[in-house]
Amino acid sequence: MLNRRHLMLTAAAAAAAGPAVAAVRTEEDARLDAMLTRWLNETIDRSPTLATSLGLDRGERAHLAGKLGDSSLAFKRESDARALAQWAEIQTIDPAKLSEASKVTLAIFRFSAETAALGVALAHGGGSSPYVVTQRWGAYFSVPDFMANQHRLETPEDADAFVSRCRAFATVLDQENERIVEAGGNGVVLPAFLMDKTLTQLKTLRDMPTADWAMIHALAKKVDEKELAGDWVARAVGIVDADVKPALTRQIAVFETQRPSAVDDAGAWKLPAGAETYALALRGYTTTDYTADQIHQIGLEQVASIQAEMDGLFRRMGMTEGTVGDRIRVLNEDPQYLWPNTDEGKAQLLESLNVQMAELEPLLPRVFNVLPKSKVEIRRVPPAIELGAPGGYYQRASLDGTRPGAYYINLSNTANWPKWSLPTLTYHEASPGHHFQIALSQEAGELPLYRRLTGNSAYTEGWALYAERVAADDLGVYGDDLVGRVGYLQSYLFRAVRLVVDTGLHHKKWTRDQAIAWMVAECGEPPESAEKEIDRYIVTLGQACSYKLGQTVIEGLRQEVEAKGDFDIKAFHDAVLLDGIVPLSVLQERVRARFA
């Protein structure tokens, strides 16, 4: 159980009992509200893709629909200066002059502003993710998917904006190159094996026929559906061939120049100010001040506890030989649980998940008073980026509900997703997990927009992991299916293992192979999937620790409330969900006050 002394922020700032609402009650409330509204508007105006993602690239912001973000060195330095200025500005707010609700808002944004300012102060100026382009992010990774799935295509103006963004794509790639070179000069170079992965994906995209790009497919399909007369597809293809593919070649050349100096050391410890970088990453992602050693020990203890519970299930199933990891691998390789690794098999897998979501929906009112309005779609990760993409991830819906949320699953190899392990992943990513919680936050009209859009990994990932338990225990989705329940517990084990391997990599100087082997041995993860996961943790320092620590806090709060008697699960979920996304300490104080 997490001890309160390990949670960030002051109790005084977090102790408000009522919901944080947009209503202004003091002059200092008004000043805080105006400041945070200005910050949000500046952020949206500086990020055209965010504006599109939220459905806000209309009206006065219509000019953003044809732009991509600025990735230049100059913009990075301006952003760093802005982070320092925001930290200085928010310190001028006097908590003593705020209403109780606004004290909560101040606590949330002071924490994020201070974390950002601390990141600027690091030697490489990169915050918790010092790498510019990796196997998991960069324009080559995100822009084609963004254009295919988020860019709006309803009018000729939208199609013109699509073509304009194709031109911007090449510019962003060249801007990234400047920063990759500068980072290399500061000693921040991707590990050799991840540089090879990134190069493979860059070359795959560059060498793919332009007509086969997902974004070009989407453009052609939507132009046809809307009967938009024009040569937009031909223009987009021409720009990709003339500008974007040469820019991809230039980015490939930058990495190939760095490749001889790349090493296989994987952890943050090898970076300039590596220990400070990792400590800040843990602080930001977990909203705690646990040290890496403490998190490592928590992980070891939770791994042992979950394995003991799984051992009991396996014995009931007649599986008694080998470690828990060994027995999970037996299930992984059992043909009855494997989808064919073919296009048809992958389509059947996706359809099964959609059926699962349809069956869950009528059960949700049993445990929730409020349900989200927006829907969620289940999609395959684009094949061009499967090599570096995680196993599954969620993309939020637009604010106006015109674009649903999306849960992406990586189907590079269906053997990574045996049938017994898939249900709990879907509860995590869709409902009652990420989509359910994030949609509720976005739809919380009584909260100001800056509160509805704020977020932290410890809360969102902690909720999604807790939501797997809601499906399993409160909604009884597995019934007497022992194998399904093994899948649920294996997911919890997987997140506990993350605590160990993340701290192992970045603090204890584990090698990549050592981390992969430990994950395979302890939670039976398929080697190919384990490799993707470990490579993810190498570039996204500390984020893997947010899941289990966040879930531990939410589960601990539930146990406290249950111990009081007459437990009302709907009221508990209201208390956790309906005040928006908050740091763990704020969540603890508010839930405890609600049920005092």
Side-chain angles (χ1 to χ4, degrees):
M1 188 60 60
L2 296 185
N3 188 295
R4 287 183 61 195
R5 71 184 182 83
H6 290 294
L7 292 163
M8 307 304 294
L9 314 179
T10 66
V21 296
V24 173
R25 283 169 284 187
T26 72
E27 288 186 9
E28 201 73 348
D29 284 352
R31 195 160 77 89
L32 177 64
D33 179 72
M35 180 184 74
L36 296 177
T37 299
R38 170 168 46 83
W39 287 9
L40 175 62
N41 285 328
E42 289 172 355
T43 297
I44 294 170
D45 289 337
R46 288 162 55 86
S47 178
T49 53
L50 174 62
T52 295
S53 177
L54 296 173
L56 298 177
D57 57 348
R58 304 169 188 258
E60 294 180 354
R61 289 193 171 105
H63 65 285
L64 297 177
K67 299 178 180 179
L68 297 175
D70 189 335
S71 292
S72 66
L73 275 171
F75 187 83
K76 170 65 168 59
R77 287 168 182 150
E78 180 188 333
S79 298
D80 287 348
R82 182 169 175 257
L84 295 175
Q86 287 183 343
W87 172 229
E89 184 179 12
I90 202 168
Q91 291 179 82
T92 68
I93 299 292
D94 185 353
K97 296 178 180 179
L98 292 175
S99 65
E100 292 303 307
S102 290
K103 287 177 182 178
V104 174
T105 297
L106 178 64
I108 294 167
F109 286 91
R110 271 187 64 101
F111 179 80
S112 59
E114 183 182 19
T115 301
L118 289 170
V120 173
L122 292 172
H124 50 72
S128 62
S129 299
Y131 301 109
V132 180
V133 174
T134 72
Q135 85 284 4
R136 294 198 65 238
W137 63 74
Y140 85 94
F141 190 97
S142 61
V143 170
D145 179 64
F146 167 81
M147 297 288 281
N149 293 301
Q150 297 192 57
H151 182 94
R152 186 176 61 256
L153 277 165
E154 298 172 354
T155 67
E157 291 75 20
D158 296 337
D160 275 332
F162 189 102
V163 173
S164 177
R165 276 178 161 160
C166 287
R167 294 192 191 95
F169 191 179
T171 300
V172 172
L173 286 164
D174 287 332
Q175 290 173 338
E176 288 175 339
N177 292 344
E178 292 181 290
R179 292 175 56 203
I180 295 168
V181 171
E182 184 193 58
N186 292 333
V188 179
V189 176
L190 274 176
F193 50 87
L194 294 186
M195 196 176 292
D196 291 341
K197 236 178 209 188
T198 305
L199 280 166
T200 296
Q201 294 187 155
L202 281 163
K203 291 173 182 177
T204 298
L205 184 63
R206 180 198 61 184
D207 297 340
M208 183 185 297
T210 305
D212 292 341
W213 280 28
M215 59 187 266
I216 301 299
H217 270 301
L219 175 64
K221 178 182 177 183
K222 292 176 184 177
V223 163
D224 183 61
E225 288 176 350
K226 298 294 181 180
E227 298 181 347
L228 303 178
D231 61 347
W232 291 292
V233 174
R235 288 164 61 192
V237 168
I239 291 168
V240 170
D241 287 338
D243 299 330
V244 178
K245 287 194 171 184
L248 288 168
T249 297
R250 291 191 290 275
Q251 190 155 102
I252 289 166
V254 168
F255 277 118
E256 287 179 336
T257 298
Q258 288 187 348
R259 180 62 180 82
S261 63
V263 298
D264 284 338
D265 293 334
W269 55 268
K270 69 166 185 154
L271 298 169
E276 295 85 351
T277 297
Y278 187 51
L280 179 63
L282 291 176
R283 178 188 193 271
Y285 278 125
T286 71
T287 68
T288 75
D289 63 1
Y290 273 113
T291 66
D293 284 324
Q294 289 170 321
I295 293 174
H296 194 84
Q297 185 59 35
I298 290 169
L300 291 172
E301 292 169 0
Q302 293 203 4
V303 165
S305 174
I306 298 167
Q307 285 179 340
E309 187 175 355
M310 292 183 73
D311 177 65
L313 278 178
F314 278 127
R315 291 182 180 279
R316 289 173 62 189
M317 293 163 56
M319 298 177 67
T320 59
E321 299 295 324
T323 66
V324 166
D326 292 335
R327 285 173 275 180
I328 292 172
R329 282 191 292 278
V330 170
L331 288 182
N332 281 340
E333 296 165 6
D334 190 330
Q336 68 174 310
Y337 298 121
L338 298 181
W339 294 95
N341 196 33
T342 62
D343 287 341
E344 182 179 6
K346 293 171 184 180
Q348 291 172 347
L349 186 156
L350 287 172
E351 177 58 26
S352 75
L353 300 184
N354 281 294
V355 169
Q356 177 188 334
M357 281 294 93
E359 292 175 345
L360 178 76
E361 192 165 352
L363 305 181
L364 295 173
R366 295 183 189 174
V367 292
F368 298 107
N369 283 318
V370 183
L371 304 180
K373 298 180 181 68
S374 62
K375 301 301 181 183
V376 62
E377 294 180 354
I378 302 174
R379 302 172 184 168
R380 179 180 176 180
V381 171
I385 59 172
E386 285 177 336
L387 182 65
Y393 56 90
Y394 173 73
Q395 179 186 93
R396 70 169 70 212
S398 61
L399 285 172
D400 61 7
T402 57
R403 191 191 69 252
Y407 146 41
Y408 286 86
I409 183 167
N410 191 326
L411 298 182
S412 58
N413 183 357
T414 57
N416 291 329
W417 296 118
K419 295 176 183 178
W420 58 270
S421 72
L422 271 169
T424 197
L425 173 73
T426 306
Y427 299 131
H428 181 104
E429 299 292 346
S431 288
H434 281 317
H435 172 72
F436 189 97
Q437 176 265 306
I438 292 172
L440 280 182
S441 182
Q442 289 192 172
E443 295 166 8
E446 73 280 5
L447 293 176
L449 188 57
Y450 51 77
R451 280 289 309 276
R452 289 157 56 196
L453 297 180
T454 191
N456 71 74
S457 190
Y459 178 98
T460 56
E461 297 297 354
W463 170 265
L465 189 55
Y466 166 80
E468 297 178 35
R469 178 261 171 100
V470 172
D473 293 343
D474 300 319
L475 297 178
V477 294
Y478 300 112
D480 296 328
D481 178 12
L482 295 181
V483 179
R485 192 161 184 86
V486 164
Y488 153 61
L489 288 176
Q490 194 271 346
S491 174
Y492 268 52
L493 176 61
F494 175 58
R495 273 38 177 249
V497 163
R498 280 178 166 175
L499 299 176
V500 179
V501 295
D502 195 87
T503 51
L505 283 164
H506 295 300
H507 176 63
K508 295 183 176 294
K509 299 188 179 182
W510 284 18
T511 66
R512 178 200 194 214
D513 288 345
Q514 185 179 356
I516 292 171
W518 206 86
M519 175 171 275
V520 170
E522 297 301 323
C523 66
E525 192 73 3
E528 179 185 327
S529 178
E531 177 186 310
K532 282 190 174 73
E533 288 295 324
I534 295 303
D535 287 350
R536 167 187 171 185
Y537 313 154
I538 289 169
V539 295
T540 315
L541 285 56
Q543 194 266 344
C545 297
S546 61
Y547 299 70
K548 201 65 181 68
L549 293 180
Q551 175 270 331
T552 300
V553 166
I554 296 172
E555 183 64 36
L557 286 169
R558 175 166 172 166
Q559 291 174 10
E560 288 181 29
V561 176
E562 284 178 329
K564 295 176 181 294
D566 297 323
F567 178 65
D568 182 339
I569 190 170
K570 292 184 180 182
F572 175 74
H573 288 158
D574 284 349
V576 173
L577 289 171
L578 299 187
D579 286 337
I581 299 170
V582 297
L584 298 181
S585 60
V586 175
L587 180 67
Q588 281 190 321
E589 296 291 345
R590 293 175 67 77
V591 172
R592 286 170 175 155
R594 171 77 176 269
F595 293 99

